[in-house]
Amino acid sequence: MDVEADIKKYGFPQWFKSKEHEFDSCKFGMWLFLVQELMLFGGLFVAFAMYNYLYPETFREAHHHLDKNLGALNTVFLLISSLTMVLGVAYTMRNQMGKAMLNLFLTFLLAGAFMVVKYFEYSHKIHEGLLPGALYSFAANPSTPENPQSLFFSLYFMMTGLHGIHVVGGMVCLLWIMYRIKIGKTTAERFGAVEFVGLYWHLVDLIWIFLFPIFYLVV
Amino acid sequence: MSAHEVNYLEEYKGKSFFERLMGWIVTYDHKRIGMLYLVTTLMSFVIGGVFALLIRTELWTPMKDFFDANTYNQIFTLHGAIMVFWFIIPAIPGALGNFCLPLMIGAKDVAFPKLNLFSYYLLVIGMLINLYGVLSGGIDTGWTFYTPYSAQTSTSVIAMVSGVFIMGFASIFTGLNFMVTVHQLRAPGMTWMRMPLFVWAIYSTSLLQVVATPVLGITLALLVMERTLGIGFFDPALGGDPVLFQHFFWFYSHPAVYIMILPAFGIISETITTYARKTIFGYNAIAYSSIGLALVSFFVWGHHMFTSGESWWANALFSAMTMFTAIPTAIKIVNWTATLYKGSIVFTTGMLYTLGFLLTFAIGGLTGLFLGSISSDKHFHDTYFVVAHFHYVMVGGTATALFAGVYHWFPKYTGRMYNELLGQLSFWFFFIGFNVTFFTQFVLGANGMPRRYFSYIPEFQDLNQISTIGAWLIAVGVFISFSNLIISALKGAKAPANPWGSKTLEWTDTASPPITHNFVQDPIVNAGPYEYGRS
Ligand SMILES: [Cu+2]
């Protein structure tokens, strides 16, 4: 199976029936991948729900240490990035590659801004000693088995950390599709790569939309 | 013969050694990848089997015979972990699924051939990381990695667990690939209800692989974090709960039991119709019961924790749900048995292993109900009864079916016939050895011998020795099988395209071994997969 040669000659690999058939198959595969991602985070959400139920007072107290404003700012960044991502896909499909590249680059920048804000949040927590589990050392509010402050921060770091890894992964994918557009591998005819990175990016946003309220607001 | 019609094994014939080697290690051909999986997983089976023999031999007497208790703990852990993660989970989907599934639905390949090769290498990388773990301190937690012990022991838990994490992604991507393949790449006329039951079984397995495996991934990642950062999720001293680990672990690992057994069901549906020369009885029931089992399996994980302090109503609920899993399983067994009725049965090696499967799996399944009922589980929990039960399911079930499948499709894989006499001899050693080994363990368990212990009370010695002899009989059977397969692959008689008179596409529409592009003419399907009696 020489994939590259097939694409050059026919426009799609030959084990598919048509270009559309290939696109649909890849899209279905991408959705399954997203299901997998949801299950990956699902375990952590269950752990959060369980410990929040066991230690409601503790969690209410601990969440005051998170900066709502920074969290909200990050939410805004990701929401706008969703929009620019959609525009990036739409312009790619209409063969307006200049605008597509601009929007994809904006998405990349917003993702970067999200990570910068996260960096400040994390370093502030680390500085104060609000660290997960055994590393927790915030003297004003010690963690005990009955009042496990540290558990809240374990969940916070594990969940936002895993999400952060996904954001960085998204940034790498964005660079990759911009490169593909540049060298002409992704075109208005074959725009699958952009579409699928878009799907992934929306999932990353969606997970943040759940993370933000449970950690910063509700509890 | 045009270049396209060369069979897949001879694609690089006459090329340099380097090119032929690369033709194997960077191939996108699902048949070659299937062969890679077959060799890799059967090798894993041998390694895991050697550990099993070491365990059984050490248990010859209650005293120390060859190695001490710490080594014993490491060896039973490695036996379990290798058999589960290196062998049973990847074996049937990876080897037979890859090889047969695209052929059976009339496709040229899987939907994502590159991803397919990538999955294989994830498996290999996971294995290498595990090997590093073995060399740098081993592991003594048992294959279940239960906290709090796994968070404290000084052995290489991180390397073992990271390896399993990576192999998990191999499993996820394989499942994803097969699901898309089944949805998208069926030949014209291959409706869902005309798919061979093996395809249904692999499809259901894939569903579980995609949905359940990530939960294992995150659980193991948390265990690594527990060890490195002390996050405390599973540590009561920090407000965590060690039983949460068990919940997460079994949320994956119970469905994983079906990742291990559903593909075996698929093989049996193929072999039993072929060798009984009869249409399968209750096609729809078998197809839907695969999906049914996959779904029910998500709601029964709590039956592993009856003694871990679950609330009584959780126990009752999980116990009741567990009883439900017996229904789709029984539907299958009844339908297979009904298929045999008035069939003209041919006792090939593949059929012997198939019949062996029916017997041992039925015992394995039924003894599972004793463990699923709370009151009897309180007695049997963590005894050899449990060990015997899951070996009846995993070895008597999955491994036996795998052998049935390997013998069945061997001519298709290699283009050569195996030696029938040696094949049948291997079966009798394997089958008798298996029952001698594990039936005694039911008795031992019912009498209260706990699992995983290095020593036992002297009264148990006779039964333990019988069990050990059985293990060596299995080893003889496997040795005969492997010698047979290896020698036949090199020197066996040439196989015709359809030596068994099967009705599925991989036999009827392509040569043995198949050409690189699978079919000379794209198949068009206008009948079901088991139309025996009509020609
Ligand atoms: Cu179970």
Side-chain angles (χ1 to χ4, degrees), chain A residues 3 6-7 13 18 41 46 51 60 79 87 101 146 151-153 162 170 183-184 203 212:
Chain A
V3 185
D6 274 3
I7 292 172
S18 64
F41 279 94
V46 169
Y51 286 126
R60 196 155 308 134
L79 284 176
L87 290 173
M101 285 293 259
E146 294 74 40
L151 207 54
F152 179 86
F153 290 97
L162 184 64
I183 60 167
L203 181 92
F212 174 59

Coordinates of all heavy atoms in Angstrom, one line a residue, chain A residues 3 6-7 13 18 41 46 51 60 79 87 101 146 151-153 162 170 183-184 203 212:
Chain A
V3 N 0.7 4.8 0.1 CA -0.4 5.8 0.4 C -0.1 7.1 -0.4 O -1.0 7.6 -1.1 CB -0.4 6.2 1.9 CG1 -1.5 7.1 2.1 CG2 -0.6 4.9 2.7
D6 N -0.8 6.7 -4.1 CA -2.2 6.6 -4.3 C -2.8 8.0 -4.4 O -3.7 8.3 -5.2 CB -2.9 5.8 -3.2 CG -2.9 4.3 -3.5 OD1 -2.3 3.9 -4.6 OD2 -3.4 3.5 -2.7
I7 N -2.5 8.8 -3.4 CA -3.1 10.1 -3.2 C -2.7 11.0 -4.5 O -3.6 11.7 -5.0 CB -2.6 10.8 -1.9 CG1 -3.2 10.0 -0.7 CG2 -3.1 12.3 -1.9 CD1 -2.7 10.5 0.6
P13 N -6.4 7.2 -0.8 CA -5.8 5.8 -0.8 C -6.8 4.8 -1.3 O -8.0 4.9 -1.1 CB -5.5 5.6 0.7 CG -5.7 6.9 1.4 CD -6.5 7.8 0.5
S18 N -13.8 6.4 -2.4 CA -13.7 7.7 -2.9 C -13.1 8.6 -1.9 O -12.9 8.2 -0.7 CB -15.1 8.2 -3.2 OG -15.9 8.3 -2.0
F41 N -10.7 11.4 30.8 CA -11.0 12.4 31.8 C -12.1 12.0 32.7 O -12.2 12.4 33.9 CB -11.5 13.7 31.1 CG -10.3 14.6 30.6 CD1 -9.8 14.4 29.3 CD2 -9.7 15.4 31.5 CE1 -8.8 15.2 28.9 CE2 -8.6 16.2 31.1 CZ -8.1 16.1 29.8
V46 N -15.1 11.5 38.0 CA -15.7 10.6 39.0 C -15.0 10.8 40.4 O -15.6 10.9 41.4 CB -15.7 9.2 38.6 CG1 -16.1 8.2 39.7 CG2 -16.7 9.0 37.4
Y51 N -14.9 12.7 46.0 CA -14.2 13.3 47.1 C -14.9 14.6 47.5 O -14.9 15.0 48.6 CB -12.7 13.6 46.8 CG -11.9 12.3 46.9 CD1 -11.1 11.8 45.9 CD2 -12.0 11.5 48.1 CE1 -10.4 10.7 45.9 CE2 -11.3 10.3 48.1 CZ -10.5 9.9 47.1 OH -9.8 8.7 47.2
R60 N -14.9 23.4 49.7 CA -15.4 24.7 49.7 C -14.3 25.7 50.1 O -14.0 26.7 49.5 CB -16.7 24.9 50.5 CG -17.4 26.2 50.2 CD -18.9 26.1 50.5 NE -19.5 24.9 49.9 CZ -20.3 24.1 50.6 NH1 -20.6 24.3 51.9 NH2 -20.8 23.0 50.0
L79 N -12.7 30.1 24.6 CA -13.9 30.3 23.8 C -13.6 31.0 22.5 O -14.1 30.6 21.5 CB -15.0 31.1 24.7 CG -15.7 30.3 25.8 CD1 -16.6 31.2 26.6 CD2 -16.5 29.1 25.1
L87 N -13.4 29.2 12.2 CA -13.2 30.1 11.0 C -12.0 29.5 10.2 O -12.1 29.4 9.0 CB -12.8 31.5 11.4 CG -14.0 32.3 12.0 CD1 -13.5 33.6 12.6 CD2 -15.0 32.5 10.9
M101 N -4.9 30.5 7.5 CA -3.7 30.5 8.2 C -3.7 31.5 9.4 O -3.3 31.2 10.5 CB -2.5 30.8 7.3 CG -2.1 29.7 6.4 SD -1.4 28.3 7.3 CE 0.3 28.6 7.0
E146 N -9.0 14.1 58.1 CA -10.4 14.5 58.2 C -10.7 15.7 57.4 O -11.8 16.0 57.0 CB -10.7 14.8 59.7 CG -10.7 13.6 60.6 CD -9.2 13.3 60.9 OE1 -8.4 14.2 61.1 OE2 -8.9 12.1 61.0
L151 N -6.0 17.0 49.1 CA -6.7 16.2 48.1 C -7.3 17.1 47.0 O -7.3 16.7 45.8 CB -7.8 15.4 48.8 CG -8.1 14.1 48.1 CD1 -6.9 13.2 47.9 CD2 -9.1 13.3 49.0
F152 N -7.8 18.2 47.4 CA -8.4 19.2 46.5 C -7.3 19.6 45.4 O -7.6 19.6 44.2 CB -9.0 20.4 47.2 CG -9.6 21.4 46.2 CD1 -10.9 21.3 45.8 CD2 -8.8 22.5 45.8 CE1 -11.4 22.3 45.0 CE2 -9.3 23.4 44.9 CZ -10.6 23.3 44.5
F153 N -6.1 19.9 46.0 CA -5.1 20.3 45.1 C -4.5 19.2 44.2 O -4.1 19.4 43.1 CB -4.0 21.1 45.8 CG -4.6 22.4 46.3 CD1 -5.0 22.6 47.6 CD2 -4.7 23.5 45.4 CE1 -5.6 23.7 48.0 CE2 -5.2 24.7 45.9 CZ -5.7 24.8 47.2
L162 N -3.6 17.4 33.2 CA -3.9 16.6 32.0 C -4.5 17.4 30.9 O -4.2 17.2 29.7 CB -4.9 15.4 32.4 CG -5.2 14.4 31.3 CD1 -3.9 13.7 30.9 CD2 -6.2 13.5 31.8
G170 N -2.6 20.2 21.4 CA -3.4 20.9 20.4 C -2.5 21.9 19.7 O -2.6 22.1 18.4
I183 N 2.9 23.6 2.8 CA 3.5 22.8 1.7 C 2.5 22.2 0.7 O 2.8 21.4 -0.1 CB 4.4 21.6 2.3 CG1 3.5 20.7 3.1 CG2 5.5 22.2 3.1 CD1 4.2 19.4 3.5
G184 N 1.2 22.6 0.9 CA 0.2 22.2 -0.1 C -0.3 20.8 0.1 O -0.9 20.2 -0.8
L203 N -13.1 19.6 21.7 CA -13.2 18.7 22.9 C -12.3 19.3 24.0 O -12.8 19.3 25.2 CB -12.7 17.3 22.6 CG -12.9 16.4 23.8 CD1 -14.2 15.7 23.8 CD2 -11.8 15.4 23.9
F212 N -13.6 24.5 34.7 CA -13.7 25.9 35.2 C -14.7 26.0 36.3 O -14.4 26.3 37.5 CB -13.9 26.9 34.1 CG -14.1 28.3 34.6 CD1 -13.1 28.9 35.4 CD2 -15.3 29.0 34.3 CE1 -13.3 30.2 35.9 CE2 -15.5 30.3 34.8 CZ -14.5 30.9 35.6

